[in-house]
Amino acid sequence: MQKAAIPFGLLLGYYLVVPLCFGIMLVDQLALGGRVLAWLPQTPYAYFWYAIFFNLPHIVCSTFMLLNKEYISHYRMPLGLIVTWAIALPLGGALAFKAFSIPPFEGFVFSIGLFAFVTLYHVFMQQLGINKLFARNGSMAFNVIAWSNILPGTAAYLLLFLYDHPLAQQYYPMLHGTAFWSGAACFMLVLPFYRACWRKSQTNAGRYYLLANASLSVASLFAIYHEYWLFALVMPRIIHDLTAFTVYINHDHNRQLEHGTKAHPIYGPLGKLGVPAFILTPAIAIALAYPITQGYISIGWGLFFVLALIHYATESLVWKNGTPHRKYLAFKGVK
């Protein structure tokens, strides 16, 4: 078997979800009088296929991938700190709410807001970080563009979770206005940074990926303004999760190729049986996440928060240049 590289066109192709969703919204607004909006559920988790494949499985996958001697030995110190802080943050928050007698609703809003912020930080920093890689330009302007999505996106995320909450109705108009107008203002303010990233990109691939990220921002603003909360959530989520799984599969394939059964206590032996990584990696992740996503095993909000925080922190660590993970990752078609 030959060492694999991820085609640039595949990662760019995941952004096709943006014109697809935007087209549906536009036709619904211009020709159908909002009938699609009225028919759509508020959350994509109403769809079985979405709940099975998206969000938790890629979190499980990235954590499961660390379970071999080489990685545990290499990342021992930062992993210890990451796990400690991931447990301490929600536990400390719960104790603080109790100590200061913060009402349950306010505590819930704060928890959701914090989770939304760290989730969106993870999602957009990943996508713009990949954009840096393709542009072969480490400019901080990419980070500014990421922040222009993170801040208004946090308000939009709160809207999604609080939409049907009886105590949140009074805050809905304020949050909706904040999410859209701050998003529109941020997008306009960072246009010079888009221009700088475009000009300094050393490849056309970096420019195409930048346009794709800009289109996601515009389509998300349209979705927020017209309250298509399902599309506002699924566009970045689908792009992020498919990108993540593609990276994990590429890593697992190349590591199994080099290490065989020693690649991983589970992946290695199954890979030797002829199960390719593009089937094995997502299959194991979905199998482990399925009982939780379907409610057969309840892990609670606090434990999910811990798992997500560990994932967010480790992902910002393991794919940096010079790490053991990075040497098994390759791209092609970046020109």
Side-chain angles (χ1 to χ4, degrees):
M1 294 177 70
Q2 200 172 22
K3 187 173 180 179
I6 301 171
F8 166 73
L10 177 63
L11 296 184
L12 185 63
Y14 294 149
Y15 281 84
L16 288 174
V17 69
V18 175
L20 175 62
C21 292
F22 185 75
I24 293 171
M25 291 186 290
L26 198 61
V27 169
D28 189 43
Q29 287 296 309
L30 297 178
L32 301 179
R35 278 177 284 186
V36 172
L37 177 60
W39 171 77
L40 286 173
Q42 283 299 119
T43 170
Y45 292 100
Y47 298 113
F48 178 79
W49 62 269
Y50 184 92
I52 289 296
F53 191 80
F54 291 100
N55 200 11
L56 187 58
H58 89 286
I59 292 176
V60 170
C61 188
S62 70
T63 305
F64 194 68
M65 192 167 53
L66 285 164
L67 301 180
N68 64 70
K69 291 181 180 179
E70 178 193 357
Y71 287 174
I72 290 174
S73 175
H74 181 86
Y75 300 112
R76 183 184 293 113
M77 181 66 74
L79 270 179
L81 291 172
I82 287 169
V83 172
T84 299
W85 277 105
I87 294 172
L89 186 60
L91 181 61
L95 291 174
F97 293 158
K98 187 173 183 180
F100 292 100
S101 301
I102 296 175
F105 175 70
E106 281 74 7
F108 173 73
V109 171
F110 179 83
S111 299
I112 292 295
L114 179 60
F115 181 72
F117 175 79
V118 295
T119 297
L120 291 167
Y121 178 88
H122 168 66
V123 169
F124 285 104
M125 283 298 181
Q126 172 186 287
Q127 296 309 127
L128 273 300
I130 292 172
N131 207 153
K132 280 186 188 181
L133 179 67
F134 290 154
R136 296 174 185 155
N137 171 22
S139 171
M140 291 297 291
F142 285 102
N143 292 11
V144 176
I145 293 170
W147 278 108
S148 74
N149 289 279
I150 294 164
L151 297 176
T154 300
Y157 213 106
L158 272 170
L159 281 169
L160 179 68
F161 278 89
L162 298 176
Y163 186 83
D164 290 327
H165 199 293
L167 297 178
Q169 297 304 309
Q170 59 180 318
Y171 302 112
Y172 184 86
M174 179 190 70
L175 281 173
H176 184 251
T178 300
F180 175 75
W181 290 111
S182 66
C186 283
F187 183 77
M188 296 302 293
L189 287 171
V190 298
L191 284 176
F193 293 92
Y194 275 106
R195 184 170 181 267
C197 290
W198 178 276
R199 292 180 63 187
K200 292 181 180 179
S201 176
Q202 298 181 34
T203 67
N204 285 328
R207 296 186 182 94
Y208 298 150
Y209 211 73
L210 184 67
L211 282 176
N213 279 307
S215 72
L216 174 60
S217 296
V218 172
S220 296
L221 281 172
F222 189 88
I224 291 168
Y225 182 79
H226 292 287
E227 301 178 280
Y228 289 90
W229 301 119
L230 183 141
F231 290 142
L233 178 63
V234 302
M235 286 188 292
R237 172 55 64 191
I238 287 174
I239 292 166
H240 172 75
D241 285 26
L242 290 180
T243 300
F245 268 120
T246 302
V247 167
Y248 302 157
I249 289 167
N250 181 249
H251 165 277
D252 292 344
H253 170 87
N254 290 335
R255 196 166 194 279
Q256 288 173 35
L257 192 64
E258 183 173 323
H259 293 276
T261 56
K262 296 180 181 179
H264 190 278
I266 304 297
Y267 290 149
L270 289 177
K272 278 292 183 181
L273 293 176
V275 183
F278 76 87
I279 293 176
L280 183 61
T281 297
I284 290 178
I286 291 169
L288 291 173
Y290 178 82
I292 299 170
T293 56
Q294 296 305 297
Y296 302 142
I297 297 176
S298 177
I299 62 172
W301 169 246
L303 186 52
F304 178 77
F305 202 172
V306 170
L307 290 174
L309 288 176
I310 291 172
H311 167 69
Y312 299 158
T314 54
E315 285 288 280
S316 68
L317 168 71
V318 302
W319 300 111
K320 293 184 180 295
N321 279 325
T323 62
H325 277 68
R326 187 62 177 268
K327 68 181 181 181
Y328 301 111
L329 183 63
F331 299 96
K332 62 182 179 181
V334 180
K335 300 176 182 178

